[in-house]
Amino acid sequence: MQRPVDFKLPHFFTYPPYFTLQPVRETCEKQVQLWKELILDYCRSQKMYIISLEEDFPLFSNTKIERSLSYEAKEAFLAALVSGGRAEWMDKGHKKCLILWLRIQDWANYILDFVKENGLEVTTIEDIRSGIETHGTELAGIDRGVLMRALRLLEQKGKAVIFKGTSADDEGVKFSV
């Protein structure tokens, strides 16, 4: 997997010790925090939602300094995101992780603001993900599972009603804004 040119990597990415879990607690805590921020920023900039520990992920190695994170380090950094509410394990074996660069509540708020700004009272799920209005916004290409969870949260709060169409492709939402 190639690193995109438009993403600026932080200075620590060229520092070999940051590719090894540090034994000193304070240093390790700082290392974990830096990696959490890097993973969230990268996933947001690339609109990535899933990281698998068993597949290549561009940030987990740096060929210029010939360093790669160990499986243990990758798992530790993702587990830190999970414990901070910024990711969720997608399987019991903790091999795949859903990255929440915006929390579900933040997605729900973003959707409501988007709907108000664009005067969308009723729309389809697919239009929220890929409609003309969403181009250039955080919603463009949003993971369907994340979107549905945010919409269900809005539904629980009485701010939206999700309805079924004649096929799965035309599920819709009516907003109360």
Side-chain angles (χ1 to χ4, degrees), residues 103-112 139 142-157 160 162 175:
R103 291 178 176 92
I104 299 299
Q105 177 61 55
D106 298 330
W107 276 116
N109 293 339
Y110 188 91
I111 292 166
L112 272 184
L139 291 171
I142 184 174
D143 178 83
R144 187 173 173 84
V146 171
L147 174 59
M148 293 308 294
R149 287 177 54 195
L151 291 173
R152 282 194 290 276
L153 180 61
L154 290 172
E155 193 172 41
Q156 289 170 0
K157 293 180 173 193
I162 301 168
F175 293 95

Side-chain angles (χ1 to χ4, degrees), residues 16-117:
Y18 271 87
F19 283 84
T20 305
L21 277 176
Q22 296 301 300
V24 177
R25 187 176 56 81
E26 294 83 16
T27 308
C28 187
E29 286 172 0
K30 177 68 174 167
Q31 178 188 30
V32 168
Q33 185 59 38
L34 288 171
W35 274 99
K36 283 174 22 179
E37 291 168 11
L38 175 59
I39 292 167
L40 288 172
D41 289 347
Y42 181 82
C43 287
R44 187 175 198 159
S45 77
Q46 304 305 305
K47 295 196 177 263
M48 293 179 72
Y49 294 88
I50 297 172
I51 297 176
S52 171
L53 289 174
E54 297 178 334
E55 294 172 15
D56 285 341
F57 182 67
L59 298 179
F60 291 163
S61 63
N62 184 339
T63 53
K64 288 182 183 173
I65 60 169
E66 299 179 357
R67 291 288 190 270
S68 292
L69 291 175
S70 67
Y71 188 89
E72 176 190 21
K74 295 178 210 177
E75 191 173 33
F77 300 148
L78 292 179
L81 284 169
V82 169
S83 68
R86 300 307 299 265
E88 297 172 356
W89 292 114
M90 297 176 72
D91 60 335
K92 290 182 183 186
H94 294 188
K95 305 279 186 227
K96 267 191 175 175
C97 202
L98 175 68
I99 305 299
L100 298 169
W101 30 275
L102 287 180
R103 291 178 176 92
I104 299 299
Q105 177 61 55
D106 298 330
W107 276 116
N109 293 339
Y110 188 91
I111 292 166
L112 272 184
D113 291 344
F114 173 81
V115 164
K116 287 175 189 173
E117 288 170 16

